């Protein structure tokens, strides 16, 4: 019982050490990881290299994959970029197997105590806390490996007749046995949510002579499938693209296992020849066994990537066909259309791409305004809730689009630019800020409409007409704004938009005065008048933000004095 607890405790410590290391490295890298993933994935080869490097850095393929899925969910990465990164993550995770193999080859516990000391000092200093956390996790990892090695020797399972008889009942020359061990590896990895932990168990079993190299490699193959379930679980609540990325990870590893099974025994013999061991020998060197497992893990993932890297577009088509989006979901996914990650093009082309993306941003915000009008008109409870949730999502989309376009323009602005291009970038930064404010105004209107809905207030005909008038003027201003965002600014002038803005302000002033008079005369309650004017004011603010976008697009500084009233 004590030995079993030592084994379980060592595995728990190993998982904790990996978790602390991974989290510390991610904190040290911070937002730079996102930019690295986006900027270094210009093609499938750099995508694979990036995925491998990031996984080596954070010491967790699950962390890289989950992070990649979340970036796809936020449309910061395309599906093809995500697939190449995931392929690289599978290669990067092989480093963990080599670290464990080294841990089983010699006593690493002597390294633990100085590393613990340095880690505590760095944590206490505060300035290098994350580095201290990383070393702290590394210490636990090394200590756990040393404990696993010692526990494996102490268990002496190779001389336990019951255990030996049990595993001897499985014929390693039978594909049925290989499939069974593969299934066991998959299930154990799924339960533990850590392929590193199951790899450590596999090495203990192999190095102590309990299972042979064929059974051990079958477990490793199962671990490769089991680890994909982490990303698929993470993607369950995500959008269509994110679920597709997670499914691509599963298909990638399943395909690898299938082709390995077709040449399983020759491939294993090749691995054994590389490390210099005879798979048929009765007595095996424990060190060579662990090296063989690590070698197989590396060769499997590298070869699988070399095969499938040429078929990323086909994999993308397959997962797109398997996971079909709902029409409404497809429309509401945030996805940058013209701006792509990678090496910056010439500033002029980059500015043109950004302007096209801003036009898409504007179309999104006018779509949101249309939803607000639908929310105001609906009376069905379920439909009301559905539309309100869509408006909430669009408000988040507006934040994401402003953030990503702003970052892109910031990168363009770092180049040597002409004064004209600098002025365009400043104007575009103002445009995205005002477009995001249109989204805020639309969401605020939706919240006011929800207050009216929850209070079960009914507006008078005069109030209904006032709201329709304001929304129609705001819609008219928005349509004019979209024309300018999609066209050449030289083809437009500020006059028509200025006239619409004047009408909006005049309408607001008239309705405000009318509302105060109606409340005084008890035509409707104060609560009704308050919600009514909140809607009018938010519609007027939306009109202000729209005119600000137009002004920034045209590069004019003229403003009506009432614009910010």
């Amino acid at each position: 019982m004590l030995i079993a607890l030592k084994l379980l405790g060592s595995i728990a410590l190993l998982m904790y050490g990996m978790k602390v290391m991974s989290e510390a490295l991610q904190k040290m890298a911070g937002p730079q990881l996102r930019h690295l993933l986006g900027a270094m994935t210009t093609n499938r080869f750099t995508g694979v290299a990036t995925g491998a490097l990031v996984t080596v850095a954070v010491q967790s393929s699950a962390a890289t994959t989950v992070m990649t899925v979340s970036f796809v969910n936020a449309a910061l990465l395309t599906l093809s970029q995500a697939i190449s990164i995931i392929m690289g993550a599978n290669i990067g995770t092989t480093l963990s197997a080599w670290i464990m193999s080294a841990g089983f080859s010699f006593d690493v516990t002597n390294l633990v105590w100085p590393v613990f000391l340095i880690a505590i000092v760095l944590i206490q200093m505060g300035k290098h806390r994350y580095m201290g956390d990383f070393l702290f996790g590394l210490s636990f990892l090394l200590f756990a490996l040393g404990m696993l090695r010692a526990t494996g020797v102490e268990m002496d399972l190779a001389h336990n007749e019951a255990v030996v008889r049990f595993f001897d009942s499985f014929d390693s020359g039978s594909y049925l046995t290989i499939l069974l061990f593969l299934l066991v590896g998959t299930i154990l990895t799924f339960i533990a949510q850590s392929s590193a932990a199951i790899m450590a168990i596999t090495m203990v079993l192999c190095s102590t002579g309990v299972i042979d190299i064929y059974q051990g490699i079958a477990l490793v193959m199962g671990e490769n499938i089991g680890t994909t379930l982490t990303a698929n679980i993470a993607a369950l609540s995500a959008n269509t693209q994110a679920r597709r990325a997670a499914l691509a990870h599963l298909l990638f590893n399943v395909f690898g296992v299938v082709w390995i099974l077709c040449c399983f025994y020759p491939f294993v013999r090749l691995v054994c020849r590389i490390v210099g061991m005879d798979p048929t020998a009765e007595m095996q060197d424990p060190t060579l066994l662990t090296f063989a497992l690590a070698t197989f893990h590396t060769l499997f993932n590298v070869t699988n990537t070399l095969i499938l890297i040429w078929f990323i577009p086909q994999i993308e088509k397959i997962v797109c066909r398997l996971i079909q989006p709902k029409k409404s979901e497809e429309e509401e996914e945030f996805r940058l259309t013209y701006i792509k990650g990678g090496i910056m093009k010439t500033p002029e082309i980059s500015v043109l791409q950004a302007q096209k993306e801003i036009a898409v941003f504007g179309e999104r915000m006018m779509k949101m305004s249309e939803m607000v009008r639908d929310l105001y008109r609906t009376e069905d409870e379920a439909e009301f809730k559905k539309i309100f949730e869509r408006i909430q999502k669009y408000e988040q989309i507006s934040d994401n689009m402003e953030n990503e376009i702003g970052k892109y323009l910031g990168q363009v602005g770092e180049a040597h630019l002409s004064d004209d291009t600098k002025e365009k970038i400043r104007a575009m930064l103002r445009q995205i800020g005002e477009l995001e404010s249109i989204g805020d105004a639309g969401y605020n209107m939706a919240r006011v409409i929800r207050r009216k809905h929850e209070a079960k207030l009914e507006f008078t005909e005069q109030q209904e007409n006032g709201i329709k008038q304001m929304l129609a003027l705001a819609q008219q201003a928005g349509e004019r704004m979209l024309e300018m965002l999609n066209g050449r600014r030289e083809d437009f002038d500020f006059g028509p938009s200025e006239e619409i803005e004047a009408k909006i302000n005049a309408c607001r002033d008239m309705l405000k005065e009318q509302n105060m008079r109606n409340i005084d005369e008890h035509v409707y309650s104060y609560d009704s008048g308050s919600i009514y004017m909140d809607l009018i004011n938010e519609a007027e603010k939306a009109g202000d933000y729209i005119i600000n976008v137009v002004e920034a697009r045209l590069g004019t500084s003229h403003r009506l004095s009432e614009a910010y009233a």
Side-chain angles (χ1 to χ4, degrees):
M1 179 62 72
L2 180 60
I3 292 174
L5 289 174
K6 279 184 181 180
L7 178 66
L8 293 173
S10 299
I11 292 168
L13 201 58
L14 175 75
M15 293 171 67
Y16 177 72
M18 292 288 289
K19 180 175 181 291
V20 172
M21 279 176 62
S22 177
E23 288 177 351
L25 284 163
Q26 289 178 65
K27 286 173 185 174
M28 280 192 282
Q32 302 307 318
L33 275 180
R34 176 267 175 274
H35 294 295
L36 178 65
L37 287 173
M40 296 297 289
T41 52
T42 51
N43 59 59
R44 66 189 76 182
F45 300 103
T46 57
V48 169
T50 303
L53 288 171
V54 171
T55 304
V56 167
V58 301
Q59 276 301 289
S60 172
S61 62
T64 304
T65 307
V66 170
M67 188 168 25
T68 302
V69 168
S70 69
F71 288 155
V72 174
N73 187 51
L76 306 180
L77 291 172
T78 65
L79 182 56
S80 60
Q81 285 176 317
I83 293 171
S84 64
I85 290 170
I86 288 168
M87 286 182 177
N90 275 30
I91 294 175
T93 194
T94 61
L95 180 66
S96 300
W98 285 105
I99 292 172
M100 290 177 197
S101 178
F104 280 92
S105 304
F106 58 92
D107 190 1
V108 294
T109 51
N110 292 330
L111 298 172
V112 170
W113 313 117
V115 177
F116 260 130
L117 177 62
I118 296 169
I120 293 297
V121 170
L122 289 174
I123 291 171
Q124 291 300 318
M125 287 171 63
K127 186 178 179 181
H128 303 288
R129 175 178 175 79
Y130 295 144
M131 178 56 74
D133 287 341
F134 167 72
L135 292 176
F136 202 63
L138 178 62
S139 302
F140 278 121
L141 173 65
L142 295 174
F143 186 71
L145 286 173
M147 288 297 296
L148 277 170
R149 180 173 177 268
T151 306
V153 173
E154 191 177 350
M155 289 168 73
D156 194 22
L157 293 175
H159 295 93
N160 186 312
E161 287 187 19
V163 173
V164 170
R165 205 163 36 245
F166 173 76
F167 283 102
D168 279 347
S169 65
F170 297 102
D171 179 13
S172 293
S174 166
Y175 265 100
L176 188 61
T177 296
I178 301 305
L179 290 172
L180 179 61
F181 274 77
L182 189 152
L183 180 63
V184 170
T186 302
I187 294 171
L188 288 176
T189 306
F190 172 64
I191 294 170
Q193 287 290 292
S194 172
S195 59
I198 308 305
M199 175 63 84
I201 293 173
T202 304
M203 287 186 174
V204 168
L205 293 174
C206 270
S207 63
T208 53
V210 176
I211 60 175
D212 61 31
I213 188 65
Y214 295 105
Q215 293 167 341
I217 284 177
L219 285 174
V220 173
M221 289 163 61
E223 291 154 20
N224 272 272
I225 296 176
T227 193
T228 64
L229 299 173
T230 303
N232 279 274
I233 291 170
L236 286 177
S237 60
N239 64 20
T240 302
Q241 289 293 91
R243 294 198 301 275
R244 287 169 175 168
L247 178 61
H249 188 202
L250 177 61
L251 291 179
F252 172 77
N253 281 16
V254 168
F255 174 83
V257 166
V258 169
W259 73 257
I260 278 287
L261 285 172
C262 294
C263 56
F264 180 74
Y265 293 101
F267 196 90
V268 173
R269 286 194 290 271
L270 171 65
V271 169
C272 292
R273 197 175 299 120
I274 290 172
V275 299
M277 65 171 281
D278 180 7
T280 61
E282 288 188 15
M283 297 297 294
Q284 297 285 0
D285 182 350
T287 301
L288 288 181
L289 281 166
T290 57
F291 278 146
L293 291 174
T295 303
F296 170 81
H297 195 217
T298 302
L299 277 180
F300 167 74
N301 284 299
V302 170
T303 308
N304 201 29
T305 299
L306 289 175
I307 293 171
L308 290 180
I309 194 171
W310 308 102
F311 299 99
I312 287 177
Q314 288 75 18
I315 295 172
E316 186 174 4
K317 286 179 183 177
I318 290 170
V319 295
C320 287
R321 193 168 298 164
L322 290 174
I323 299 181
Q324 295 286 340
K326 297 176 184 176
K327 187 177 179 182
S328 60
E329 184 182 7
E330 191 170 34
E331 290 173 355
E332 290 166 24
E333 285 182 2
F334 162 48
R335 192 179 306 144
L336 295 177
T337 305
Y338 297 99
I339 293 175
K340 305 294 180 188
I343 299 170
M344 194 66 63
K345 298 178 176 66
T346 61
E348 289 72 22
I349 294 176
S350 299
V351 168
L352 178 62
Q353 288 176 319
Q355 188 58 57
K356 287 181 178 179
E357 202 69 70
I358 289 171
V360 174
F361 193 177
E363 289 166 4
R364 291 270 190 171
M365 293 305 95
M366 295 316 298
K367 176 79 173 175
M368 183 180 182
S369 299
E370 186 181 323
M371 290 179 200
V372 171
R373 292 194 296 276
D374 291 341
L375 185 73
Y376 181 75
R377 289 192 290 262
T378 190
E379 294 181 1
D380 181 73
E381 190 68 39
E383 184 67 15
F384 187 94
K385 183 180 179 182
K386 181 181 176 182
I387 296 173
F388 187 83
E389 287 175 353
R390 290 181 69 197
I391 292 171
Q392 275 184 313
K393 187 167 185 177
Y394 265 67
E395 199 275 332
Q396 293 170 358
I397 287 173
S398 72
D399 291 341
N400 286 337
M401 291 196 79
E402 180 198 20
N403 191 34
E404 291 307 310
I405 297 172
K407 285 179 182 176
Y408 183 78
L409 288 171
Q411 291 173 357
V412 177
E414 293 173 1
H416 294 290
L417 306 171
S418 65
D419 291 340
D420 183 54
T421 304
K422 288 179 182 177
E423 184 60 38
K424 285 180 181 177
I425 290 174
R426 281 194 289 269
M428 284 190 280
L429 287 170
R430 185 182 172 198
Q431 288 172 51
I432 60 173
E434 298 296 343
L435 284 168
E436 193 274 335
S437 295
I438 294 172
D440 288 342
Y443 181 50
N444 288 338
M445 287 183 70
R447 291 166 64 191
V448 173
I449 294 169
R450 186 174 64 177
R451 277 169 47 206
K452 172 183 176 292
H453 184 78
E454 290 173 348
K456 302 190 184 306
L457 289 174
E458 295 291 335
F459 282 164
T460 64
E461 185 178 352
Q462 189 181 58
Q463 287 174 307
E464 293 282 0
N465 289 335
I467 289 170
K468 286 178 184 177
Q469 192 175 354
M470 281 295 288
L471 291 178
L473 286 169
Q475 176 69 11
Q476 189 179 349
E479 289 171 356
R480 174 76 179 172
M481 175 193 74
L482 286 184
E483 289 177 11
M484 291 187 182
L485 290 176
N486 284 296
R488 295 172 67 252
R489 63 178 183 173
E490 294 82 6
D491 298 336
F492 297 91
D493 63 82
F494 192 65
S497 294
E498 188 177 47
E499 290 174 10
I500 298 171
E501 172 70 359
K503 289 179 183 178
I504 289 174
N505 286 332
C507 183
R508 177 207 57 189
D509 292 341
M510 179 195 72
L511 295 176
K512 185 177 181 180
E513 185 179 339
Q514 192 181 75
N515 181 64
M516 291 176 64
R517 188 166 58 250
N518 286 338
I519 291 175
D520 287 342
E521 294 175 1
H522 304 291
V523 176
Y524 43 75
S525 67
Y526 177 81
D527 286 346
S528 178
S530 175
I531 289 176
Y532 171 62
M533 279 315 298
D534 284 345
L535 276 173
I536 297 298
N537 287 332
E538 289 299 336
E540 191 273 335
K541 283 180 185 177
D544 275 350
Y545 299 136
I546 289 170
I547 203 73
N548 290 346
V549 174
V550 170
E551 181 185 278
R553 174 67 176 139
L554 296 180
T556 176
S557 59
H558 176 67
R559 288 293 282 116
L560 292 174
S561 59
E562 296 89 354
Y564 292 105

